[in-house]
Amino acid sequence: MSSVHSYSREYIDRCEQQMRVQLDAYDLLAAAARASGDAGASAASAFEIHFFANLVLVLDSYFANRTRALEGKDGNALNEVRMLRASHLRNGGVLAAEPQIKYVAERSATKLKIGDRIFLTETRFRALSAAYFAEIGHRFT
């Protein structure tokens, strides 16, 4: 498949809505688990890391064929999701540098440093998702 140079606002909005549905479902599940006591809270915490790691893969797949040149290399949220996805799949869940990307942890949505184990809490993921959709809208509409 060839690279995609633009996405319709409608498509971006649909993807963002699909992400909100998944986050709403997580909120319901986590709240019920935590309300059930210590075992439920432990289960919710154990589930969180895997759930949000998988949602990074979903975020990236919505726009998997985006043109790399339009994405840029300035360490933006699109680059961050690309790095997180690659690190999950190829680096055992430890954030790895990509030489062509100028990633700066302090400016990133997750604040993860190169070499950190990737642990995305709900708060971190929501920040990443919001930044990602904003950047897609800015660069690809």
Side-chain angles (χ1 to χ4, degrees), residues 14-30 47 50-59 61-62 122 125-126 129 133:
R14 269 195 319 272
C15 293
E16 198 165 9
Q17 175 59 30
Q18 290 171 356
M19 186 57 61
R20 278 193 298 273
V21 167
Q22 293 185 67
L23 291 170
D24 289 347
Y26 171 81
D27 288 342
L28 289 171
L29 179 66
F47 178 71
H50 302 290
F51 182 73
F52 291 113
N54 285 322
L55 283 188
V56 167
L57 303 178
V58 172
L59 268 181
S61 70
Y62 286 146
E122 179 181 5
F125 181 81
R126 284 184 184 274
S129 180
F133 281 111

Side-chain angles (χ1 to χ4, degrees), residues 4-21:
V4 176
H5 301 290
S6 68
Y7 296 96
S8 70
R9 184 77 248 172
E10 293 78 21
Y11 176 75
I12 295 169
D13 291 345
R14 269 195 319 272
C15 293
E16 198 165 9
Q17 175 59 30
Q18 290 171 356
M19 186 57 61
R20 278 193 298 273
V21 167

Side-chain angles (χ1 to χ4, degrees), residues 22-82:
Q22 293 185 67
L23 291 170
D24 289 347
Y26 171 81
D27 288 342
L28 289 171
L29 179 66
R34 290 185 177 107
S36 71
D38 290 342
S42 291
S45 292
F47 178 71
E48 182 178 43
I49 187 172
H50 302 290
F51 182 73
F52 291 113
N54 285 322
L55 283 188
V56 167
L57 303 178
V58 172
L59 268 181
D60 191 61
S61 70
Y62 286 146
F63 307 99
N65 296 313
R66 63 189 181 269
T67 304
R68 289 290 300 259
L70 292 176
E71 178 180 316
K73 298 176 184 179
D74 58 350
N76 63 62
L78 304 178
N79 300 157
E80 189 172 0
V81 166
R82 183 180 297 280

Side-chain angles (χ1 to χ4, degrees), residues 84-98:
L84 289 166
R85 185 225 352 113
S87 295
H88 276 300
L89 297 176
R90 296 192 302 257
N91 202 41
V94 174
L95 187 60
E98 290 206 15

Side-chain angles (χ1 to χ4, degrees), residues 68 71-80 82-83 96-108 112 114 139:
R68 289 290 300 259
E71 178 180 316
K73 298 176 184 179
D74 58 350
N76 63 62
L78 304 178
N79 300 157
E80 189 172 0
R82 183 180 297 280
M83 290 172 64
E98 290 206 15
Q100 71 275 16
I101 294 175
K102 296 175 182 103
Y103 179 80
V104 178
E106 295 76 23
R107 290 194 327 238
S108 71
L112 292 169
I114 301 300
R139 292 180 186 251

